[in-house]
Amino acid sequence: MAEVSLGKYLFERLYQLQVQTIFGVPGDFNLSLLDKVYEVEADHGEGSFRWAGNANELNASYAADGYSRVKRLGCLVTTFGVGELSALNGIAGSYAEHVGLLHVVGVPSISSQAKQLLLHHTLGNGDFTVFHRMSNNISQTTAFISDINSAPAEIDRCIREAYVKQRPVYVGLPANLVDLNVPASLLDKPIDLSLEKNDPEAQDEVIDSILELVRKAVNPVILVDACASRHDCKAEVTHLIEQTQFPVFVTPMGKGTVDEGGVDGELLADDPQLIAKVAARLSAGKNAASRFTGVYVGTLSKPEVKQVVESADLILSVGALLSDFNTGSFSYSYRTKNIVEFHSDYTKIRQATFPGVQMKEALQELNKRVSHAAANYEVRPVPKIKMANTPATRDVKLTQEWLWTRVSSWFREGDTIITETGTSSFGIVQSRFPNNTIGISQVLWGSIGYSVGATLGAAMANQEINPNRRTILFVGDGSLQLTVQEISTMIRWNTTPYLFVLNNDGYTIERLIHGVNATYNDIQPWQNLAILPTFSAKNYDAVRISTIGEAEDLLRDKNFGKNSKIRLIEVMLPRLDAPSNLAKQAAITAATNAQG
Ligand SMILES: Cc1ncc(C[n+]2csc(CCOP(=O)(O)OP(=O)(O)O)c2C)c(N)n1
Ligand SMILES: [Mg+2]
């Protein structure tokens, strides 16, 4: 009977799910496991499976998260105690934000555990379960493998849970087990990744009630949030919009889930005819993008967005994740009680909750019947969104307001756009994405430095899917300092992301919340343009832009638009300049923090 080592079994399972890069840092408890990465690569062809080799485990966890947001699953391997604990901040973020990943920890051999040896990386008290227990609280499920016979099934169960539930899963793998063999034939049967079926009776009741509300609605809207994309409901949501023609809004965390019909590289800045042409294209047809109306963030929304959402008489909310920064500090103010909430594990209609009616199947069922119910809906044009800056002279200094409008017409279909907690995660809300864009921003967990690791992960995933897909990062000068080493891993793998570093001389978001002149909000200024050569990049660009003229020259340059090399663009911005939605959010946050 053909056999395969347990370590190879694990990686073959991941390869079957298009996971082709494993993130992490080696350590003696995982070294023999890592040997198996190269065995899998040898079987499937050069470059088909790779060990990223991160600078540290925190970055690796961010990278696995970014990779998963592009490919639906990521994996990182760490070593017992010291390695795994360094990854926990990132894993907690993946838990909070519904990101599926497998955290494999190489742990001491079964016999070392049984003898309670005073091994390195232990607390010195013979407790080998303590780190596993710590991870328990931020994992969908865990396995601490101890028996080779049940190990393949345990690994399959863990991978399935991570994928289907889109949360991190912890697997402790003793160093002595990875070389033991299991039947290779187990790999022939794919892991079952299907969702459990919804209870048909409960689902029928849900759909009937929703159709009733749809039939009566005069001003309905669809509001799309983070979990719609995390739980793979993009296609269902798009179909729902196309059939109903209801206006659609996203939240900051939902950005990228719905086609926004952005301009796809067309330069709008000073061409009224082109603006008119694009506007006409956007409002033509029945595609989802033509119904895109903007970003709803409670009181921080643009007035025309706020008006439409809050005066709606039916809200179909998909995948809501109502955190403070995602809702303008809980300032939703709907006039209607007719709210339908679709979630990954339940549906709520007005006050009635239907546990177990999962959104993917419920939306599919709704889509089969909704066009009839929505037939009487009188389609109204959606408000126009400003897409071009007011023309200004070349020597005018760059501002946040100008930047976020201008980059909207530099983005292209297929881009992955990543922003960081700080001015960029607020600024990006004001931009318009082209269709088929992936937006990545850790709005709920908000751990600064995340975006740099996530950029590595997304860039590796995009390199595997289609190297022409651009990965674009906007990171604050302060956040960059937490995880800058991961740029070296980007260079090592010849990835070609755009790294826009927003240099505003420190922690601007914090200055706006508290301590405008406090030195704790200052940072050591870096020579950001020297970062790429410092990490031994050979083929790179590093440029600084300070004025509108410099920015225009760069963004109009066709060569710059092609992701042929890694690029760092230092964007000089005033110290206290911020997108207007951040200025408002900061005032609310400061007041909330000061409350007794
Ligand atoms: C790991 C972590 N440490 C601290 C914070 C608190 N924090 C939030 S934003 C921020 C400053 C970000 O500064 P920068 O990246 O320069 O952004 P910008 O100036 O564009 O606002 C800090 C320190 C955090 N969110 N996460
Ligand atoms: Mg800053």
Side-chain angles (χ1 to χ4, degrees), residues 427-572:
I428 200 69
V429 168
Q430 311 200 353
S431 73
R432 186 156 186 163
F433 284 177
N435 296 345
N436 300 314
T437 304
I438 300 176
I440 299 181
S441 188
Q442 204 191 43
V443 175
L444 169 57
W445 186 245
S447 181
I448 59 168
Y450 161 80
S451 70
V452 182
T455 297
L456 168 73
M460 299 287 263
N462 283 332
Q463 194 183 48
E464 288 160 9
I465 296 167
N466 174 357
N468 295 327
R469 270 168 69 153
R470 305 189 305 182
T471 307
I472 301 161
L473 166 69
F474 295 93
V475 60
D477 51 355
S479 302
L480 175 68
Q481 297 199 354
L482 277 85
T483 48
V484 67
Q485 315 94 316
E486 228 41 52
I487 292 177
S488 123
T489 317
M490 297 176 200
I491 295 166
R492 178 175 176 183
W493 288 101
N494 296 319
T495 61
T496 55
Y498 295 82
L499 312 172
F500 287 88
V501 178
L502 309 186
N503 184 343
N504 49 15
D505 192 22
Y507 298 152
T508 297
I509 184 173
E510 305 247 285
R511 293 190 202 284
L512 297 179
I513 295 173
H514 190 89
V516 66
N517 291 316
T519 45
Y520 53 67
N521 284 326
D522 295 346
I523 57 172
Q524 168 69 8
W526 280 6
Q527 290 183 36
N528 291 310
L529 295 185
I531 290 174
L532 293 177
T534 300
F535 291 131
S536 309
K538 297 283 175 307
N539 187 21
Y540 70 93
D541 262 352
V543 292
R544 175 179 294 136
I545 50 175
S546 311
T547 62
I548 287 178
E550 287 165 3
E552 279 297 351
D553 288 347
L554 190 71
L555 297 174
R556 283 166 193 250
D557 179 350
K558 288 225 160 56
N559 284 327
F560 178 76
K562 278 185 63 191
N563 61 335
S564 53
K565 53 175 110 161
I566 189 165
R567 291 188 169 89
L568 188 146
I569 307 97
E570 185 176 36
V571 186
M572 306 305 290

Side-chain angles (χ1 to χ4, degrees), residues 270-432:
D270 48 7
D271 186 343
Q273 273 182 336
L274 190 54
I275 295 172
K277 198 181 98 191
V278 171
R281 192 188 71 206
L282 285 178
S283 50
K286 292 196 141 203
N287 56 18
S290 69
R291 303 305 293 156
F292 179 75
T293 313
V295 182
Y296 180 63
V297 215
T299 50
L300 307 190
S301 316
K302 298 216 162 115
E304 59 274 24
V305 165
K306 190 169 151 55
Q307 198 274 331
V308 181
V309 175
E310 296 183 356
S311 63
D313 59 358
L314 171 64
I315 293 164
L316 301 178
S317 148
V318 188
L321 216 170
L322 305 180
S323 75
D324 52 356
F325 285 2
N326 204 31
T327 61
S329 282
F330 318 113
S331 59
Y332 278 22
S333 164
Y334 302 146
R335 209 164 297 160
T336 182
K337 294 209 161 42
N338 293 335
I339 301 166
V340 179
E341 291 178 35
F342 298 91
H343 294 279
S344 61
D345 49 358
Y346 70 97
T347 303
K348 188 170 173 201
I349 303 175
R350 292 175 55 101
Q351 289 309 317
T353 302
F354 298 83
V357 177
Q358 307 163 92
M359 64 181 167
K360 190 163 175 85
E361 190 188 329
L363 286 167
Q364 285 168 353
E365 288 306 307
L366 178 63
N367 278 334
K368 286 183 192 156
R369 296 167 59 193
V370 77
S371 63
H372 196 250
N376 291 331
Y377 168 65
E378 202 181 302
V379 181
R380 288 154 210 224
V382 298
K384 286 201 173 52
I385 297 174
K386 178 178 171 244
M387 286 188 295
N389 281 307
T390 320
T393 50
R394 285 182 57 85
D395 54 351
V396 172
K397 294 264 185 255
L398 285 173
T399 61
Q400 296 264 351
E401 192 69 29
W402 189 92
L403 177 75
W404 297 112
T405 305
R406 179 61 183 84
V407 289
S408 296
S409 54
W410 178 73
F411 294 149
R412 278 208 317 248
E413 275 211 48
D415 283 349
T416 300
I417 299 163
I418 301 158
T419 49
E420 179 65 86
T421 301
T423 54
S424 67
S425 61
F426 283 84
I428 200 69
V429 168
Q430 311 200 353
S431 73
R432 186 156 186 163

